[in-house]
Amino acid sequence: MTKEELKRAIIEQILEIAPDVDESEIDPDANIQRSLEIDSFDFLKILTSLNEKVGIEVPEADYAKVDTVEHMAEYFSKHL
């Protein structure tokens, strides 16, 4: 999976978990939780669904490393 494919998958999961979010509101460099007003439970659901999709589990200690779409795509691409 390329980094662009990972970004697309991340955005799709955000939109699935938070249907009130409009795709145009998603800034790849902005903190996902703060910018989209997603609570920690929904953020965890996004990570869990991405784990199922790409097979990479993000340990709690690394949550700060996956705070934006860009950082999340980088993290997943390094661990594929």
Side-chain angles (χ1 to χ4, degrees), residues 5-16:
E5 290 170 328
L6 286 167
K7 283 184 192 179
R8 185 73 231 151
I10 293 163
I11 290 169
E12 287 172 3
Q13 292 309 308
I14 290 170
L15 295 173
E16 188 173 314

Side-chain angles (χ1 to χ4, degrees), residues 15-33:
L15 295 173
E16 188 173 314
I17 302 297
D20 294 343
V21 171
D22 186 271
E23 187 169 347
S24 65
E25 297 173 28
I26 301 173
D27 177 351
D29 297 312
N31 181 285
I32 294 168
Q33 286 183 269

Side-chain angles (χ1 to χ4, degrees), residues 10-57:
I10 293 163
I11 290 169
E12 287 172 3
Q13 292 309 308
I14 290 170
L15 295 173
E16 188 173 314
I17 302 297
D20 294 343
V21 171
D22 186 271
E23 187 169 347
S24 65
E25 297 173 28
I26 301 173
D27 177 351
D29 297 312
N31 181 285
I32 294 168
Q33 286 183 269
R34 283 192 297 261
S35 67
L36 303 176
E37 297 178 6
I38 293 174
D39 64 24
S40 57
F41 181 71
D42 283 342
F43 184 72
L44 183 58
K45 285 172 43 179
I46 292 166
L47 291 179
T48 301
S49 63
L50 286 166
N51 176 21
E52 292 170 6
K53 188 168 188 139
V54 297
I56 297 170
E57 185 173 345

Side-chain angles (χ1 to χ4, degrees), residues 53-70:
K53 188 168 188 139
V54 297
I56 297 170
E57 185 173 345
V58 179
E60 189 173 347
D62 286 349
Y63 286 179
K65 296 178 183 177
V66 294
D67 60 339
T68 70
V69 171
E70 187 67 34

